[in-house]
Amino acid sequence: MAVFNGSHISFSFSQLGSAFGEHVTPTALENGRLFTYNAEVAKQLGLNESELTSEAFRAILSAEQPLAGRTPFAMKYTGHQFGQYNPALGDGRGVLLGEWRDADGTLWDWHLKGAGKTPYSRHGDGRAVLRSTLREYLASAAMTGLNIPTTQALAMAISDTPVMRERIETAATLLRVTESHVRFGHFEYLFYSQQHEALGTLADYVIARHFPELAEAEKPYAALLQEIVERTADMIAQWQAIGFNHGVMNTDNMSILGQTFDYGPYAFLDDFDPGYICNHSDYSGRYAFNQQPAIALWNLSALGYAFTPLVDKDVINDILGGFEHRLQVAYSRAMRDKLGLSDAQPSDSDLFNQLFALLEGNQTDYTCFFYQLSQYRGDALLTAGTLNQFKSICQDTQALTEWLSAYQQRVHTLDDSTRLACMQRTNPKYILRNYLAQAAIEAAEKGDLQPTHDLMTVLAHPFDEHPSLAHLANPPTDDNKGLALSCSS
Ligand code: AMP
Ligand code: MG
């Protein structure tokens, strides 16, 4: 099909040379078939339904055919995993297929995850299972709907290829698209392997392709590091405000664009639990929800170290020193929006601390609380009806009443409609809860895609009401809480 060939497809990364990875031939899925695709993402790329349901696209997605005749490329990177440097990483089961230019001129990497073994597979089989692939597919849409920077998932294929994990599962592929697949670990690899010329080449490539305005800066490499620090701070602020726990914040899972990257055992908080650890393989809680800001800085410091051949050490330290302030400003802004506070007042930190204590003490569902709060005008906050509505998610009525009074006082000078409008575009009704993802996976494994489609509908517009799908806003029952999630994928 002509659209999968042509001059809008290029492959600049693969032309950087052998220091950056290796050309590979993927291993096709057995009986690979299109499972689902994201029509919104397709539209961004300029693809329509008939193209996505074509034989040509099925063959690309099933790793049978390359994109535009270009040999796929496995990227080399390393990184710090749980604090330890691992030199043996790289695209072990995913390959870059090429770069796709959309109608606006934006270049999108096409990356096929689960396409078979590569030189970096180590002992792995090069495959991804339906379960983990669908989790990434759903999370990419969820984050997009929440306006949080993320990679996108264009489509998924399923197959008859058996894959051994804790049990036998079937292999799937995910076609991930984003402007860059460069991770912190790409820079770490070239630094630790002392390929410092190539390190400069990578920085030049990233600037030219993603941040051309930085080429004009007095010190472009320092400006690049600064940009990555700022984007990462902004992204983490949004994770903390929405209640997202990534789970595996290794430096090879950190994007230089500040996008949420590599979805593994992630979770959105149900009950507000600051120390929540979604990854059951994370025994020390290194990647717990409330550790994410500190870990992001740790990861940026690892990146900063890899920048030492390019940027003066003092400058690097100054740039890293700006992270905390940037994050704090972005986080405060995001949290004030959640409460509809258009201005900042010194007493706000007390209001927030009391709120966090209330939510934690009552194991209150984080998303439900803010959604509910965004439904009431100031004068209705303390009525019996309102308190009754909160009862199912917050048992301590006295503490709740105290906090709502303080909040009522705080907002009584603000315009109610403006406050509620702000809150209603900030506090989603729908969030990708693990029990919902799990239900979609179990149905999908039996060939039923309806739960996936329903979830995608609400996740694409999580601030809307969707009355016929309102059950998808329910917090988990006690049985559905705390589903075990491992790194196995
Ligand atoms: P991840 O946990 O998905 O971030 O992957 C960490 C590293 O392990 C990366 O280098 C992956 O490419 C590699 N990897 C993960 N799963 C597999 C697999 N099934 N086969 C080969 N390599 C894998
Ligand atoms: Mg990874």
Side-chain angles (χ1 to χ4, degrees):
M1 196 174 235
V3 72
F4 300 113
N5 281 295
S7 61
H8 62 292
I9 298 164
S10 52
F11 212 163
S12 62
F13 194 90
S14 73
Q15 285 149 12
L16 289 176
S18 58
F20 297 87
E22 290 191 40
H23 287 282
V24 289
T25 306
T27 314
L29 294 175
E30 287 164 40
N31 190 20
R33 50 218 186 260
L34 175 68
F35 181 69
T36 188
Y37 66 86
N38 184 320
E40 290 297 314
V41 176
K43 205 160 90 188
Q44 261 176 308
L45 299 177
L47 285 165
N48 62 33
E49 187 184 345
S50 71
E51 287 154 350
L52 288 162
T53 52
S54 67
E55 166 56 21
F57 187 67
R58 187 207 62 75
I60 293 169
L61 200 58
S62 305
E64 286 172 23
Q65 289 294 327
L67 178 65
R70 310 218 171 224
T71 309
F73 193 76
M75 294 169 124
K76 175 61 191 173
Y77 54 80
T78 59
H80 282 83
Q81 298 182 305
F82 290 89
Q84 300 295 318
Y85 184 67
N86 183 349
L89 299 173
D91 281 337
R93 56 165 164 178
V95 288
L96 277 180
L97 297 180
E99 295 139 18
W100 177 280
R101 187 179 299 278
D102 71 16
D104 298 334
T106 304
L107 268 193
W108 299 83
D109 281 359
W110 282 32
H111 173 99
L112 191 62
K113 193 167 183 174
K117 286 187 188 170
T118 79
Y120 313 120
S121 296
R122 295 173 290 164
H123 305 296
D125 56 12
R127 293 300 188 195
V129 295
L130 171 61
R131 167 176 51 84
S132 65
T133 307
L134 186 51
R135 281 177 55 84
E136 174 155 353
Y137 181 81
L138 292 168
S140 309
M143 287 303 219
T144 304
L146 295 164
N147 305 312
I148 299 177
T150 178
T151 56
Q152 310 270 351
L154 174 61
M156 274 178 66
I158 49 166
S159 75
D160 295 340
T161 307
V163 176
M164 189 59 198
R165 295 292 182 264
E166 280 95 357
R167 60 185 168 98
I168 302 244
E169 300 184 48
T170 45
T173 57
L174 178 94
L175 186 46
R176 179 163 69 194
V177 297
T178 174
E179 290 169 55
S180 177
H181 275 81
V182 176
R183 309 152 189 250
F184 291 10
H186 280 84
F187 285 92
E188 289 180 279
Y189 165 61
L190 295 171
F191 171 73
Y192 285 103
S193 60
Q194 300 189 358
Q195 302 182 72
H196 294 179
E197 203 180 313
L199 187 72
T201 305
L202 179 64
D204 291 339
Y205 175 84
V206 167
I207 290 172
R209 188 166 155 200
H210 305 294
F211 308 110
E213 66 287 354
L214 301 183
E216 311 304 321
E218 196 185 323
K219 294 177 180 159
Y221 298 144
L224 172 61
L225 183 61
Q226 170 115 24
E227 181 75 30
I228 299 171
V229 167
E230 290 177 358
R231 284 171 174 245
T232 305
D234 293 347
M235 173 187 76
I236 299 289
Q238 296 202 55
W239 289 4
Q240 301 310 114
I242 206 74
F244 176 76
N245 187 197
H246 181 284
V248 202
M249 283 177 71
N250 294 332
T251 56
D252 55 303
N253 291 337
M254 300 287 294
S255 146
I256 54 108
L257 296 184
Q259 295 180 335
T260 316
F261 195 92
D262 256 12
Y263 294 93
Y266 68 84
F268 291 85
L269 295 184
D270 292 309
D271 297 350
F272 181 66
D273 173 7
Y276 183 68
I277 306 163
C278 64
N279 181 354
H280 285 226
S281 318
D282 180 8
Y283 306 110
S284 69
R286 180 180 173 88
Y287 298 138
F289 174 68
N290 59 3
Q291 296 303 307
Q292 296 184 137
I295 285 294
L297 180 56
W298 194 97
N299 289 345
L300 286 164
S301 304
L303 178 67
Y305 191 50
F307 263 64
T308 48
L310 305 175
V311 182
D312 191 73
K313 280 200 179 72
D314 293 339
V315 175
I316 292 174
N317 283 331
D318 277 354
I319 293 170
L320 293 171
F323 171 81
E324 213 170 310
H325 179 70
R326 176 92 184 191
L327 181 115
Q328 200 47 251
V329 170
Y331 179 68
S332 301
R333 178 71 265 160
M335 292 309 294
R336 282 208 311 279
D337 283 351
K338 285 179 84 67
L339 291 187
L341 308 178
S342 48
D343 58 350
Q345 286 184 13
S347 60
D348 287 347
S349 55
D350 286 344
L351 190 70
F352 277 111
N353 290 335
Q354 284 152 13
L355 174 59
F356 290 138
L358 177 76
L359 298 181
E360 190 179 354
N362 284 274
Q363 297 176 324
T364 298
D365 187 89
Y366 186 72
T367 303
C368 286
F369 183 89
F370 282 100
Y371 168 75
Q372 210 149 297
L373 192 67
S374 64
Q375 305 304 306
Y376 301 107
R377 302 184 66 81
D379 55 14
L381 279 166
L382 288 165
T383 61
T386 304
L387 292 173
N388 207 29
Q389 289 287 318
F390 272 103
K391 209 154 194 175
S392 66
I393 54 168
C394 185
Q395 255 101 56
D396 186 345
T397 311
Q398 192 189 334
L400 173 68
T401 309
E402 277 167 28
W403 188 82
L404 286 174
S405 317
Y407 178 62
Q408 191 181 48
Q409 287 250 311
R410 172 67 179 84
V411 301
H412 88 276
T413 52
L414 304 178
D415 174 60
D416 251 347
S417 322
T418 315
R419 176 177 67 83
L420 292 178
C422 171
M423 291 175 79
Q424 286 165 13
R425 63 171 180 266
T426 314
N427 296 306
K429 174 168 179 169
Y430 298 94
I431 199 91
L432 178 54
R433 299 174 183 281
N434 266 334
Y435 88 91
L436 294 171
Q438 190 56 32
I441 290 164
E442 284 169 19
E445 284 176 339
K446 294 185 193 119
D448 176 9
L449 263 156
Q450 196 55 44
T452 294
H453 292 322
D454 289 347
L455 257 183
M456 290 293 281
T457 300
V458 298
L459 296 176
H461 303 283
F463 304 101
D464 295 352
E465 283 300 315
H466 308 284
S468 65
L469 295 170
H471 60 283
L472 298 176
N474 289 341
T477 58
D478 285 344
D479 292 351
N480 278 333
K481 271 185 189 167
L483 298 173
L485 297 166
S486 71
C487 276
S488 145
S489 58

